[in-house]
Amino acid sequence: DAKTTQPPSMDCAEGRAANLPCNHSTISGNEYVYWYRQIHSQGPQYIIHGLKNNETNEMASLIITEDRKSSTLILPHATLRDTAVYYCIVRVHSSNTGKLIFGQGTTLQVKP
Amino acid sequence: DGGITQSPKYLFRKEGQNVTLSCEQNLNHDAMYWYRQDPGQGLRLIYYSQIVNDFQKGDIAEGYSVSREKKESFPLTVTSAQKNPTAFYLCASSISRATEAFFGQGTRLTVV
């Protein structure tokens, strides 16, 4: 599975959009981009995933560049409850294990 | 409500004792996983099961054992052979290895 690079931390004002970047320059054509978040002392929460098209759900939007070497997770109106560690993961759907490889992630601090 | 239930949330054991962590899901998912998380670290895969009565070792299976006798249940036993058992243990499930995984709230095991 391809390696991802994320900034270690980011701040965002409450009510503003939070844009979390992720670089995955070695991504393969059959690897999907997944985003999870983990609030302190809780299990990771699935947010969204995509292959090459932009995706949107009730939680967030995922923007993947045309060359697929980077992506951005957008939380349109961040709240204090969005403070968490956000993980960007790339994974092959045909993986033998279904394993998710979590890196260090980005700690997002939403401030009042 | 459908979901993944891990119990207990906190567990204390004396060194040298085996301990079993419970994981139950009512999502009708075929695949289930156990991960371990240490402070400031990403998740590491211990065991996974793609279907009932079958399971495979993950990256750090030594000192752990599992069973998958029922689709809904995937208990993890931490044996006395595990050198550093104190950690945050996370159970996850997915429809298949090719789909997004959903996590329980975790069990924090402390061995004294």
Side-chain angles (χ1 to χ4, degrees):
Chain A
D1 292 339
K3 184 177 178 180
T4 62
T5 304
Q6 299 177 253
S9 63
M10 292 181 63
D11 289 342
C12 177
E14 188 178 18
R16 305 296 295 267
N19 297 298
L20 293 96
C22 179
N23 287 322
H24 30 79
S25 58
T26 59
I27 192 170
S28 302
N30 60 350
E31 288 182 312
Y32 286 70
V33 179
Y34 281 77
W35 283 84
Y36 282 79
R37 72 181 182 185
Q38 187 173 24
I39 296 169
H40 183 62
S41 294
Q42 296 184 21
Q45 179 187 22
Y46 165 78
I47 302 173
I48 199 168
H49 75 279
L51 182 62
K52 51 186 176 181
N53 296 324
N54 297 338
E55 301 288 343
T56 296
N57 63 20
E58 65 278 4
M59 289 185 67
S61 295
L62 174 61
I63 308 297
I64 302 174
T65 58
E66 193 168 341
D67 63 7
R68 302 209 324 122
K69 293 185 177 182
S70 65
S71 60
T72 300
L73 179 74
I74 301 172
L75 307 178
H77 305 287
T79 70
L80 298 179
R81 286 176 294 181
D82 291 322
T83 292
V85 180
Y86 287 77
Y87 296 98
C88 170
I89 300 163
V90 292
R91 190 186 72 154
V92 178
H93 267 197
S94 60
S95 157
N96 286 336
T97 67
K99 176 173 69 174
L100 294 166
I101 301 175
F102 287 74
Q104 296 302 304
T106 295
T107 299
L108 175 68
Q109 182 73 45
V110 180
K111 298 185 175 180
Chain B
D1 285 338
I4 302 170
T5 302
Q6 290 187 244
S7 60
K9 188 171 177 64
Y10 299 96
L11 189 55
F12 296 86
R13 278 294 182 268
K14 291 184 177 180
E15 192 172 343
Q17 290 182 335
N18 292 354
V19 60
T20 298
L21 282 59
S22 170
C23 178
E24 304 279 332
Q25 55 97 359
N26 60 4
L27 300 167
N28 200 31
H29 286 175
D30 281 319
M32 296 188 74
Y33 312 83
W34 274 105
Y35 289 87
R36 168 184 172 139
Q37 186 174 34
D38 294 286
Q41 303 294 317
L43 279 66
R44 292 183 290 169
L45 183 65
I46 304 173
Y47 267 97
Y48 63 99
S49 169
Q50 303 294 356
I51 197 168
V52 67
N53 290 323
D54 183 62
F55 52 83
Q56 303 295 330
K57 293 181 179 180
D59 299 319
I60 54 165
E62 185 175 353
Y64 300 98
S65 66
V66 293
S67 63
R68 187 84 188 277
E69 297 175 359
K70 297 187 299 181
K71 189 175 186 178
E72 307 78 28
S73 179
F74 192 41
L76 174 74
T77 297
V78 184
T79 75
S80 57
Q82 169 49 232
K83 300 302 182 188
N84 298 294
T86 294
F88 189 43
Y89 290 88
L90 289 155
C91 179
S93 72
S94 59
I95 294 173
S96 74
R97 65 187 183 196
T99 59
E100 63 272 22
F102 297 90
F103 286 80
Q105 289 305 295
T107 292
R108 191 167 299 279
L109 173 66
T110 302
V111 175
V112 296

